[in-house]
């Protein structure tokens, strides 16, 4: 095994660093743009009189940075080559996102709204994997030129993790002699709707509540009659661009669906696997930033005449965080490397649990690291003059979005115990004889038959008839 990063990737990280210093940092300092990143950041980013939406000046600055990155060939690094990108791998993107997040807050990489000089756009690979020829002809140019900007409409007011119970429906209905679909329902947390040209609407088209099949993904123009942003929900981290959207008798043409009818959740899985591994890498990078800043502060700060870092109460929590970061980095990179070697369906069948491990643990780690950084820095760490409170508020949401950590832990458990994944066959064939070390002490079949009626069985159907003392072994 070789754990060294490929030299081209190492060289590219250095190239990104040079680009940031030459192009992005000057823009960050110009016209007091630093106000969006220093202690004024939340106030300056938020249009408090417009429902808490991002200020236009803030989004314009991000757009200017992306244009510089695109011109330099960085923004579309992860796009497929046939769509104008460089074909960056999942491993590449994981390493890059950790590298950029570990630099702290800045115009180079601000994850509050997924801004980065190296873009993260799972929709691009979804398009490549699932678009039909007709859909490619219709949307490709708009996608490449940035005219196609989508909101993701999966979650609903009454259904989040239980997405297969969604209440939004789509039924076939002709209009003026043209076949199509009539969509009715509501969506929540449909991020970016204030600038989206389209909304990806997941709706039940067949089957019953709880069925994974029978859900279809539709691409609906945001200005379609019946599509309405009801409210923008204010959140722990501001500004907000997360609305509740209603869909009242929204009619779309027959071919407005994405991928295949009744198989829309495949697109959702493609989206979350890409997002989860990259977001895990970003959380890792932010955690590393918090750890490193705390270590430097503890060495420099000298209360009672000696360095703060000499105290074990300071050392040990940071040691544990640093240890977790090292282990997590290896798992993230191994998982990203594996993802590069299989298609979307294979990822779901074999290593979806590893993606979830990376994601939920990274999101928990960064919150712990930010909290520890605040504690280590004392009063100044709690203030907005340090970025830790912002990092905590931003990354805290990822323990809920992209699949709550409880749901992701359930996915890991399903793979671990063989209810899903590659262990399913072996674990389903497991018998009590395979695990009980007391084989010689167990009753014979005849003895068991005689007492079977008196046997108490637990919920799993495993006999609980070993209440008598077991003879001691020599």
């Amino acid at each position: 095994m070789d754990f060294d990063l490929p030299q081209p990737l190492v060289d590219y990280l250095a190239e990104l660093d040079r680009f940031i210093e030459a192009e992005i940092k000057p823009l960050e300092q110009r016209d007091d743009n630093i106000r969006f990143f220093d202690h004024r950041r939340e106030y300056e980013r938020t249009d408090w009189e417009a429902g808490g939406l991002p200020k236009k000046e803030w989004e314009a600055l991000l757009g200017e940075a992306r244009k510089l990155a695109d011109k330099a060939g960085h923004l579309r690094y992860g796009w497929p080559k046939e769509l104008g990108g460089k074909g960056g791998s999942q491993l590449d993107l994981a390493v890059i996102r950790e590298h950029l997040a570990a630099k702290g807050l800045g115009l180079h990489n601000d994850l509050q709204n997924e801004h980065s000089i190296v873009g993260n756009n799972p929709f691009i690979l979804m398009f490549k994997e699932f678009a039909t020829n007709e859909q490619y002809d219709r949307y490709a140019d708009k996608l490449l030129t940035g005219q196609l900007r989508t909101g993701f409409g999966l979650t609903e007011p009454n259904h989040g993790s239980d997405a297969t119970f969604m209440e939004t429906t789509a039924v076939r209905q002709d209009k003026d002699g043209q076949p199509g679909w009539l969509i009715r329902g509501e969506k929540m947390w449909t991020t970016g709707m204030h600038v989206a040209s389209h909304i990806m609407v997941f709706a039940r088209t067949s089957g019953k509540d709880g069925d994974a099949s029978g859900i279809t993904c539709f691409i609906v123009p945001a200005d379609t009659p019946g599509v309405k942003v009801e409210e923008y929900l204010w959140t722990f981290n501001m500004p907000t661009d997360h609305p509740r959207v209603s869909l009242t008798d929204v009619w779309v043409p027959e071919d407005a669906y994405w991928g295949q009818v009744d198989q829309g959740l495949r697109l959702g899985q493609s989206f979350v696997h890409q997002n989860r591994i990259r977001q895990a890498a970003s959380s890792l990078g932010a955690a590393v930033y918090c750890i490193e800043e705390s270590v430097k502060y503890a060495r420099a700060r000298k209360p009672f005449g000696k360095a703060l870092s000499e105290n074990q109460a300071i050392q040990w929590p940071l040691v544990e965080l640093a240890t977790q970061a090292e282990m997590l980095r290896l798992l993230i990179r191994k998982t990203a490397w594996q993802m590069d070697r299989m298609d979307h369906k294979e990822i779901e069948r074999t290593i979806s649990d590893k993606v979830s491990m990376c994601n939920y643990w990274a999101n928990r780690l960064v919150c712990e690291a930010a909290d520890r950084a605040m504690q280590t820095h004392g009063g100044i760490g709690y203030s907005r003059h340090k970025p830790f409170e912002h990092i905590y508020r931003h990354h805290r949401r990822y323990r809920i979005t992209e699949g709550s950590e409880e749901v992701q832990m359930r996915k890991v458990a399903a793979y671990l115990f063989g209810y899903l994944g590659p262990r399913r066959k072996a674990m389903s064939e497991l018998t009590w004889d395979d695990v009980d070390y007391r084989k010689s002490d167990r009753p014979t079949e005849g003895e068991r038959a005689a007492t079977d009626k008196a046997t108490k069985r637990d919920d799993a159907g495993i006999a609980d008839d070993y209440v008598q003392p077991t003879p001691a072994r020599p």
Side-chain angles (χ1 to χ4, degrees), residues 88-124:
S89 66
Q90 298 289 351
L91 176 60
D92 289 350
L93 291 169
V95 172
I96 290 168
R97 286 172 72 79
E98 179 193 344
H99 179 77
L100 294 177
K103 293 178 178 292
L105 299 187
L107 188 53
H108 64 285
N109 190 74
D110 191 280
L111 296 173
Q112 185 180 30
N113 51 7
E114 285 300 322
H115 164 79
S116 178
I117 58 171
V118 178
N120 172 40
N121 192 340
F123 184 78
I124 298 296

Side-chain angles (χ1 to χ4, degrees), residues 195-217:
V195 295
S197 64
H198 293 71
I199 174 175
M200 296 174 64
V201 179
F202 290 82
R204 182 159 292 285
T205 46
S206 69
K208 62 183 186 300
D209 285 351
D211 289 347
S213 61
I215 293 173
T216 303
C217 178

Side-chain angles (χ1 to χ4, degrees), residues 224-455:
T224 302
V227 176
K228 181 183 178 182
V229 173
E230 296 288 349
E231 62 177 329
Y232 283 94
L233 296 121
W234 289 41
T235 60
F236 192 28
N237 204 21
M238 295 292 286
T240 179
D241 59 350
H242 315 295
R244 176 170 60 90
V245 178
S246 62
L247 302 125
T248 306
D249 294 334
V250 174
W251 187 89
V252 293
E254 160 67 25
D255 59 357
Y257 63 85
W258 198 260
Q260 294 178 296
V261 173
D262 292 339
Q263 301 299 321
L265 284 188
R266 291 180 180 176
L267 280 79
Q269 289 295 332
S270 169
F271 185 95
V272 298
H273 283 133
Q274 294 180 69
N275 243 18
R276 282 175 181 172
I277 194 67
R278 298 174 192 173
Q279 199 274 312
S282 294
S283 287
L284 171 61
V288 169
Y289 173 80
C290 292
I291 295 166
E292 289 299 319
E293 289 297 303
S294 298
V295 168
K296 289 187 288 186
Y297 182 84
R299 284 299 303 264
R301 181 79 168 184
K302 296 181 179 179
F304 306 105
K306 66 175 184 178
L308 193 62
S309 60
E310 294 183 24
N311 298 294
Q312 288 182 337
I314 297 295
Q315 292 178 356
W316 289 3
L318 292 171
V319 165
E320 291 193 351
L321 290 169
T323 301
Q324 291 180 46
E326 287 293 330
M327 293 188 291
L328 181 61
R329 179 179 295 111
L330 291 178
L331 180 59
I332 288 173
R333 293 182 179 181
K334 175 192 173 186
T335 303
W337 177 81
Q338 289 178 308
M339 290 174 69
D340 287 327
R341 283 154 178 77
M342 57 185 73
D343 61 25
H344 294 287
K345 294 179 182 178
E346 186 66 18
I347 292 171
E348 173 61 26
R349 286 194 297 263
T350 59
I351 61 168
S352 184
D353 61 326
K354 300 302 188 298
V355 177
S356 287
M357 285 180 184
C358 292
N359 189 263
Y360 95 79
W361 196 258
N363 297 333
R364 188 181 293 181
L365 177 64
V366 67
C367 289
E368 293 177 358
D371 184 76
R372 178 51 51 184
M374 284 188 265
Q375 193 70 20
T376 303
H377 283 76
I380 195 66
Y382 180 69
S383 79
R384 297 193 179 196
H385 294 270
K386 289 290 184 179
F388 309 123
E389 58 83 30
H390 177 84
I391 291 171
Y392 181 88
R393 284 189 291 112
H394 166 68
H395 286 272
R396 181 61 182 82
R397 71 170 177 160
Y398 285 123
R399 293 178 63 188
I400 301 170
T401 63
E402 304 303 323
S404 69
E405 64 181 39
E406 292 82 6
V407 166
Q408 295 197 62
M409 291 173 74
R410 188 175 70 172
K411 169 66 73 68
V412 175
Y415 276 62
L416 180 64
F417 290 94
Y419 297 110
L420 293 174
R423 290 157 57 93
R424 188 169 187 170
K425 184 176 187 297
M427 295 298 282
S428 67
E429 295 174 352
L430 194 67
T431 68
W432 185 245
D433 287 334
D434 295 320
V435 297
D436 185 16
Y437 75 93
R438 301 170 296 179
K439 293 184 177 66
S440 62
D441 304 319
R442 297 182 67 186
T444 65
E445 289 299 320
E447 293 170 330
R448 182 182 295 280
T451 59
D452 190 55
K453 291 183 180 179
T455 298

Side-chain angles (χ1 to χ4, degrees), residues 17 23 28 45 50 59 75 91 106 133 160 162 165 170 174 191 228 261 267 284 309 317 345 380 414 435-436 457:
D17 290 344
E23 300 285 345
E28 184 180 277
R45 294 179 182 192
E59 293 194 317
L75 186 67
L91 176 60
N133 291 334
D162 58 338
F165 287 80
D174 293 351
T191 304
K228 181 183 178 182
V261 173
L267 280 79
L284 171 61
S309 60
K345 294 179 182 178
I380 195 66
V435 297
D436 185 16
R457 295 180 177 274

